[in-house]
Amino acid sequence: MSKIGRRFEGKVAIVTASTQGIGFAIAQRLGLEGASIVISSRKQQNVDEAVEKLRAQGVQNVIGVVCHVSNAQQRKNLIEKTVEKYGKVDVVVSNAAANPSTESIINTKDSVLDKLWEINVKASILLLRVHSTINPTEISRLLAQDAAPHMPKGSAVVLVASIAGYHPPASMAMYGVTKTALLGLTKALASEMAPDIRVNCIAPGFVPTHFASFITGNVELRKELEAQTLLNRLGTTEDMGAAVAFLASDDASYITGETLVVAGGMPSRL
């Protein structure tokens, strides 16, 4: 890891799905830069192990909370435990994702479609649920109960999408579509939460993690993916952590509503 600064001294950051892979690397980077970290995952053992690992790496201000992002009570508990411990939330990184199917979109089961939407898109919205001042009839449904009410002016939200959001591959088409939705959600939330809270997004390329092992673990497919990059390599979890840290920091104080593609030059857009 390259030399890093201390841009998050006095800040509090929540990172969902952060006990391994990209989520863990994001939590690690923010923590090494001085943030108090709240990690979360679905299993207590994974949370406990990740907390100990971060502490061993020099991140002392860290707690872990079990949270399945599609569970309303667990989301609420995640925010409550954070505020109880640290008094506020400065950074929210919505990293949780699921990809339970390699079926074509047309052949994807209803239950799988629901799961993809719940975890990959809807959870990011509910985690940041705030009062609506645009449509008064929706206020009762959108009562402030999660992260946004505890985020002071200057806070930042970072969503984690994917290069697949620009070009959904056949083997993970519906997953890609949910990530496309996050690109639009970033724009919409940035407008809604401005000017006090910035909302941005990263779109990682293919990164060798447990989540992506069915792709990156295939030697031939990995070579094909590397050839599609301009840098002739796949990304690392540290690459993604660095990108999120930039967008969440004051170095990006004039950036909101944007998606940063972190994919080594893989084709995404003009």
Side-chain angles (χ1 to χ4, degrees):
M1 183 180 295
S2 60
K3 185 177 180 180
I4 63 174
R6 301 285 292 181
R7 293 177 291 185
F8 295 94
E9 292 282 4
K11 304 289 187 179
V12 178
I14 293 174
V15 186
T16 64
S18 48
T19 57
Q20 61 181 346
I22 290 175
F24 182 84
I26 293 169
Q28 179 189 49
R29 180 61 184 253
L30 296 178
L32 290 175
E33 289 210 37
S36 296
I37 298 296
V38 181
I39 63 169
S40 66
S41 184
R42 294 177 297 170
K43 297 180 180 179
Q44 186 69 57
Q45 180 178 345
N46 293 347
V47 168
D48 293 341
E49 290 175 354
V51 166
E52 290 307 311
K53 186 175 180 181
L54 284 174
R55 286 177 178 161
Q57 294 172 348
V59 180
Q60 296 306 309
N61 292 323
V62 54
I63 62 171
V65 180
V66 171
C67 179
H68 192 307
V69 294
S70 66
N71 183 304
Q73 184 56 49
Q74 290 187 13
R75 282 195 314 272
K76 182 179 180 182
N77 185 58
L78 174 64
I79 304 303
E80 289 180 346
K81 291 293 186 184
T82 301
V83 175
E84 179 182 305
K85 176 69 174 179
Y86 297 117
K88 61 175 181 173
V89 183
D90 296 290
V91 177
V92 173
V93 181
S94 183
N95 173 64
N99 184 28
S101 174
T102 57
E103 294 282 354
S104 65
I105 292 175
I106 293 175
N107 292 325
T108 302
K109 295 179 180 179
D110 287 2
S111 59
V112 174
L113 291 173
D114 290 342
K115 181 176 181 178
L116 282 163
W117 177 254
E118 284 279 342
I119 296 175
N120 294 6
V121 182
K122 188 177 176 182
S124 293
I125 301 170
L126 296 179
L127 194 64
L128 300 167
R129 181 174 284 181
V130 294
H131 286 291
S132 170
T133 58
I134 299 174
N135 184 355
T137 63
E138 293 294 294
I139 290 179
S140 62
R141 188 176 64 84
L142 298 176
L143 289 176
Q145 57 184 264
D146 290 333
H150 306 286
M151 300 183 75
K153 184 175 182 178
S155 296
V157 175
V158 182
L159 308 184
V160 179
S162 169
I163 189 71
Y166 290 97
H167 301 286
S171 61
M172 47 198 298
M174 195 60 214
Y175 169 85
V177 170
T178 62
K179 294 301 186 177
T180 306
L182 290 184
L183 309 184
L185 180 61
T186 298
K187 294 287 188 184
L189 284 176
S191 176
E192 186 170 310
M193 303 183 81
D196 293 339
I197 299 173
R198 296 183 300 105
V199 182
N200 290 294
C201 180
I202 68 163
F206 291 93
V207 179
T209 63
H210 176 72
F211 183 82
S213 60
F214 76 102
I215 295 177
T216 59
N218 182 308
V219 175
E220 292 302 315
L221 184 53
R222 177 168 177 152
K223 288 180 179 179
E224 290 180 16
L225 292 172
E226 290 173 341
Q228 292 176 32
T229 73
L230 299 181
L231 302 180
N232 297 320
R233 70 172 178 87
L234 298 187
T236 66
T237 58
E238 290 79 12
D239 291 329
M240 306 309 141
V244 169
F246 165 66
L247 289 175
S249 76
D250 289 342
D251 287 337
S253 63
Y254 199 55
I255 301 174
T256 193
E258 300 296 340
T259 296
L260 176 61
V261 178
V262 192
M266 288 187 75
S268 58
R269 59 190 174 185
L270 290 177

